[in-house]
Amino acid sequence: MKAGDVVVVPLGARRVTGSVWDTASETQWKERKLKHIITKLDAPGLPEDLRRFVDWVADYTMAPRGSVLALALKPSLLERPQTRVLWREGCISARVTEARKRVLATLAAIGAADTATLVNAARVSTGVIRAMANSGFLIPQVQSEKATKLNPSHPAPVLSAQQATIAGELRSAVRSQTFSVTLLEGVTGAGKTETYLEAVAEALLAGRQALILLPEIALSAQFTARIAERFGADPTVWHSSLTHSQRRRAFHQITSGDAGLIVGARSALFLPFPALAAVVVDEEHDTAYKQEEGVIYHARDMAVVRARLAKAAIILASATPSLESWVNTQAGRYHHHVLKSRHGGAQPPQVSAIDMRIHQPPRGHFLSAPLVDQIASIISRGEQAMLFLNRRGYAPLMLCRACGHRVTCPNCTAWLVAHRRLGVLLCHHCGHQQAQPATCPACYATDTLTAIGPGVERIDEEIASALPQARRLVMTSDLISTQEHAAESVRAIEAGDVDVIIGTQMIAKGWHFPNLTLVGVVDADLGLSGGDLRAAERSSQLLHQVSGRAGRAVRAGAALLQTYHPDHPVIEALVSGDLKKFRAAEAALRQPGGWPPFGRLAALIISAKDPDVAAQAARNLAQQAPNSPGLDILGPAPAPISLLRGQHRWRFLLRAGRRLAIQHFIRKWLNQVPLPLAVHVTIDIDPISFL
Ligand code: ADP
Ligand code: ZN
């Protein structure tokens, strides 16, 4: 038995899977209550650096170590995958039922496929597949479980001089097998991806592994194709919508070291890589990297830790770096490389503001005349437009015109959002859904409930009536929820079957559509009023990114921002393109008060079903709040969403200097104040959401 081995141990009456964490001398363990290991599993062990990573994350986030280990050790994946069988068409002799016809049609369409794929695509049971195999309809073809090797020497594009210089630095960082952090900054289209793939090539060349983290799984269809182009084979992907058998196969390819490049969502950080040499966090500023439930952690920050423990080089890539990373470059903790221009001389989009005070649309409409005219004009040239509004559904609020009642969620402090396509009112916080009431729930008047404000579906409707000839596609996470569906939408856009793409956050990132020349931001002010400390920063990043979708190829692009505040610093920065000035101004605002990244924050959220119990717990904690120089405690205050999923919530915000171990104070504080079991305390270190 050695440290890292995966074992089964007794826990009360249960048997649980765990890992040998460390070895200790007899004198150390004699004092503790130990149990015997039942058995050691024939499974890949947890490497030393992964165990230290679990320790580190648990300490830092204050989550129980077992919860963090559960991210790294998944008993259901340990069993080695059975050899996968791909089916192809055999001889057709017996009766062909409708179900069997569907299976054959599927095979004709996609070639050989495994059982799970056939079951899904042809909507049949596994029994049908088995029976077809038995009667010779289907012929098995055993497929190797090994990942296809990526070829680091596959012909690559010739890098520009600037790209090549930076790629050289990144390659030598990987080669040195020491820890380093590099911020790779560059406007969208500058070739950041092309450049950091050179670092990946270096890792592959040494027979080691690379991990690329992406904020959105929606990216991966186009992204995977791109990797295949660069390295001649698909990478191993890791995200939440894999099937169990895909996941298990990927897991074993990774633990065996067979998978050279893993592209994944944040959970990929906890995989047991035996030979991690390079990590890339693409779109490092993206707040989707923050895991807000269970173990609350920021994947970008934890990726840096993982890289340090693995002695790997890590690259943070972004067109709009987070203030955190930028300040780290200023302080000399991170290297910093900037790709200054778009590859191939493509010009950055011309960004302009549309002053909505002047170009106010009629009541119930949300698109100004200049924006609609511009869309009409580029469509007539056969180009494509994208409209961005970060609001799913049809309208964010249903209001009774008779009594002013607003339809709210029974479980949350939130309005219900009207979704016409789904035909329901939906809570975006807890998922509560209900039919749209025919009468006002407060005054019982009929036909008085009115949709207020726009969601993407309403913008779609407005385009349909303004430009009836335009072919439209709405892209949001609720309408396009599978990889296949996303890929299909991308194909339709690439094939030129779409004139106007209307979407939320989902369309902001990564996509590369050469024929897209106009981006319209329906409500550029939306994120500015967020009220939290990063609202302006986040808004500038998101809008810059959205604007960057335009004109990525030969044709020049334009972005139009509809705003009621054209002189807001964020809008001015976007129009002038001087984000650096904006960043410096943001930093100057935050530094004096010791706000992040110049100080640290931690949030304590106290919640309970009973409002009095929650309030009392917050008061008790307040009475015993730690008092220490360099530590400020704000609150308790009712959370902005004071009711969430039926829980009443109070918040404390702790602010401390960068060097103060804020966790230590929280631990002591919570140990001092006994709280009833009905009270739940959530600790959020480095919070980015303040709701
Ligand atoms: P970023 O990641 O900075 O947005 P990409 O790496 O995606 O930029 O590059 C933008 C586009 O330009 C991509 O289609 C990419 O293949 C192409 N490109 C970038 N650098 C080169 C190069 N040196 N040679 C050929 N094509 C390039
Ligand atoms: Zn709700």
Side-chain angles (χ1 to χ4, degrees):
M1 203 76 58
K2 58 181 190 312
D5 281 350
V6 178
V7 294
V8 177
V9 291
L11 193 74
R14 292 188 304 143
R15 297 168 153 222
V16 296
T17 306
S19 165
V20 177
W21 209 247
D22 278 306
T23 46
S25 70
E26 214 168 308
T27 46
Q28 281 174 292
W29 61 255
K30 266 203 174 143
E31 297 148 24
R32 303 202 189 183
K33 276 196 279 178
L34 290 182
K35 298 218 173 83
H36 283 283
I37 287 169
I38 298 173
T39 172
K40 170 179 174 318
L41 294 181
D42 170 29
L46 268 65
E48 161 82 16
D49 71 311
L50 179 55
R51 281 179 283 129
R52 298 293 81 88
F53 181 57
V54 168
D55 286 337
W56 203 97
V57 174
D59 268 354
Y60 189 81
T61 63
M62 303 185 70
R65 185 150 61 171
S67 310
V68 182
L69 177 61
L71 299 173
L73 181 63
K74 309 250 184 228
S76 68
L77 300 179
L78 295 175
E79 192 187 321
R80 293 184 201 282
Q82 297 139 352
T83 329
R84 192 161 70 125
V85 172
L86 287 187
W87 299 104
R88 53 190 185 79
E89 212 173 293
C91 70
I92 297 168
S93 49
R95 197 170 59 88
V96 183
T97 62
E98 283 308 311
R100 291 178 173 197
K101 273 188 195 152
R102 287 202 300 274
V103 172
L104 295 173
T106 306
L107 284 177
I110 62 177
D114 64 8
T115 306
T117 310
L118 278 181
V119 163
N120 276 328
R123 288 168 288 113
V124 297
S125 67
T126 47
V128 171
I129 308 290
R130 219 178 304 123
M132 289 178 77
N134 288 340
S135 50
F137 273 94
L138 296 178
I139 297 174
Q141 172 186 320
V142 174
Q143 217 215 3
S144 157
E145 283 306 317
K146 288 203 175 269
T148 323
K149 280 265 179 275
L150 275 64
N151 175 10
S153 313
H154 193 78
V158 179
L159 297 183
S160 71
Q162 201 188 18
Q163 289 172 340
T165 311
I166 298 173
E169 301 266 351
L170 298 179
R171 273 179 176 268
S172 63
V174 173
R175 207 162 33 229
S176 73
Q177 300 200 14
T178 53
F179 167 63
S180 65
V181 190
T182 303
L183 175 64
L184 177 57
E185 182 181 351
V187 293
T188 33
K192 294 184 294 298
T193 312
E194 221 61 71
T195 306
Y196 72 59
L197 287 181
E198 294 305 300
V200 171
E202 188 66 36
L204 295 175
L205 210 56
R208 298 169 64 83
Q209 292 173 303
L211 166 67
I212 300 178
L213 290 182
L214 300 176
E216 293 278 313
I217 61 158
L219 273 173
S220 60
Q222 261 193 339
F223 197 81
T224 308
R226 190 136 178 217
I227 299 291
E229 218 168 281
R230 174 63 183 84
F231 296 119
D234 284 352
T236 301
V237 295
W238 186 265
H239 53 71
S240 57
S241 52
L242 296 181
T243 65
H244 181 73
S245 66
Q246 288 172 327
R247 184 179 297 272
R248 194 170 52 176
R249 194 166 342 114
F251 180 82
H252 284 272
Q253 289 173 353
I254 292 162
T255 56
S256 67
D258 197 28
L261 171 59
I262 296 86
V263 177
R266 58 185 177 226
S267 61
L269 260 186
F270 292 89
L271 287 164
F273 306 101
L276 192 60
V279 181
V280 176
V281 182
D282 204 349
E283 313 286 10
E284 65 90 28
H285 63 277
D286 200 305
T287 51
Y289 281 121
K290 185 74 190 288
Q291 163 77 34
E292 297 280 12
E293 259 149 44
V295 179
I296 299 179
Y297 67 94
H298 199 305
R300 182 234 300 138
D301 299 346
M302 295 306 117
V304 172
V305 175
R306 177 96 214 238
R308 179 161 55 75
L309 294 170
K311 298 192 175 61
I314 176 165
I315 299 159
L316 311 176
S318 174
T320 52
S322 62
L323 210 54
E324 276 77 6
S325 297
W326 182 70
V327 165
N328 277 327
T329 66
Q330 300 302 100
R333 285 185 287 268
Y334 293 1
H335 303 283
H336 189 194
H337 294 302
V338 185
L339 284 166
K340 294 221 166 57
S341 53
R342 282 188 164 190
H343 175 75
Q347 289 303 305
Q350 182 72 44
V351 182
S352 352
I354 296 177
D355 189 337
M356 296 299 275
R357 295 168 305 187
I358 299 168
H359 300 284
Q360 195 152 30
R363 233 186 118 126
H365 289 65
F366 306 93
L367 302 176
S368 62
L371 180 54
V372 175
D373 292 347
Q374 198 55 33
I375 297 171
S377 129
I378 66 115
I379 295 182
S380 70
R381 294 202 300 265
E383 296 168 9
Q384 293 168 311
M386 182 181 259
L387 284 177
F388 173 77
L389 176 63
N390 213 3
R391 261 199 198 135
R392 290 181 288 130
Y394 184 82
L397 167 66
M398 295 302 290
L399 178 84
C400 171
R401 265 185 285 115
C403 74
H405 177 75
R406 293 150 184 234
V407 183
T408 55
C409 175
N411 315 316
C412 307
T413 318
W415 299 333
L416 290 181
V417 178
H419 283 250
R420 292 242 168 124
R421 293 200 180 187
L422 303 173
V424 292
L425 302 184
L426 196 67
C427 172
H428 284 187
H429 296 287
C430 73
H432 167 84
Q433 66 175 60
Q434 61 184 55
Q436 158 140 10
T439 57
C440 169
C443 74
Y444 306 108
T446 41
D447 294 330
T448 55
L449 284 176
T450 315
I452 302 294
V456 283
E457 293 177 18
R458 198 168 190 175
I459 298 302
D460 180 51
E461 191 181 87
E462 197 171 327
I463 289 289
S465 77
L467 304 168
Q469 77 287 5
R471 294 161 303 167
R472 305 160 344 258
L473 174 69
V474 178
M475 290 183 79
T476 61
S477 56
D478 52 338
L479 298 174
I480 297 184
S481 54
T482 65
Q483 291 274 339
E484 287 74 25
H485 195 169
E488 207 175 287
S489 308
V490 169
R491 267 196 303 278
I493 299 168
E494 285 173 341
D497 295 339
V498 175
D499 299 311
V500 184
I501 305 148
I502 301 149
T504 54
Q505 189 114 297
M506 187 186 194
I507 62 172
K509 295 165 201 162
W511 310 101
H512 178 59
F513 300 123
N515 202 31
L516 181 77
T517 55
L518 177 68
V519 166
V521 175
V522 176
D523 184 353
D525 305 331
L526 192 58
L528 297 177
S529 49
D532 75 59
L533 103 112
R534 294 188 186 83
E537 180 191 2
R538 206 150 47 207
S539 192
S540 70
Q541 291 163 337
L542 183 60
L543 295 182
H544 178 82
Q545 198 155 32
V546 176
S547 307
R549 295 305 117 212
R552 303 233 329 170
V554 263
R555 296 193 182 85
L560 296 175
L561 314 177
Q562 296 198 137
T563 174
Y564 284 90
H565 306 281
D567 42 12
H568 189 287
V570 168
I571 306 292
E572 282 185 341
L574 291 164
V575 170
S576 68
D578 196 351
L579 283 171
K580 218 184 285 167
K581 187 172 126 204
F582 171 73
R583 199 154 59 190
E586 268 292 300
L589 277 179
R590 292 195 210 166
Q591 189 150 24
W595 294 98
F598 303 99
R600 340 185 135 272
L601 296 180
L604 237 56
I605 301 122
I606 319 301
S607 56
K609 230 185 175 79
D610 182 325
D612 297 331
V613 171
Q616 186 59 45
R619 273 196 299 273
N620 289 352
L621 279 166
Q623 272 164 12
Q624 308 251 7
N627 186 355
S628 167
L631 179 69
D632 291 328
I633 299 191
L634 316 172
I641 301 181
S642 60
L643 179 65
L644 181 66
R645 298 186 195 98
Q647 298 276 322
H648 293 268
R649 306 162 74 241
W650 289 75
R651 293 183 68 106
F652 287 93
L653 190 63
L654 289 77
R655 185 176 53 178
R658 273 182 60 93
R659 293 186 193 292
L660 209 68
I662 212 165
Q663 292 87 345
H664 163 77
F665 289 98
I666 298 175
R667 206 166 281 130
K668 232 170 88 187
W669 185 14
L670 293 178
N671 281 338
Q672 264 168 13
V673 185
L675 293 172
L677 274 177
V679 173
H680 189 74
V681 178
T682 305
I683 304 170
D684 184 355
I685 306 289
D686 306 330
I688 55 170
S689 163
F690 297 86
L691 295 176

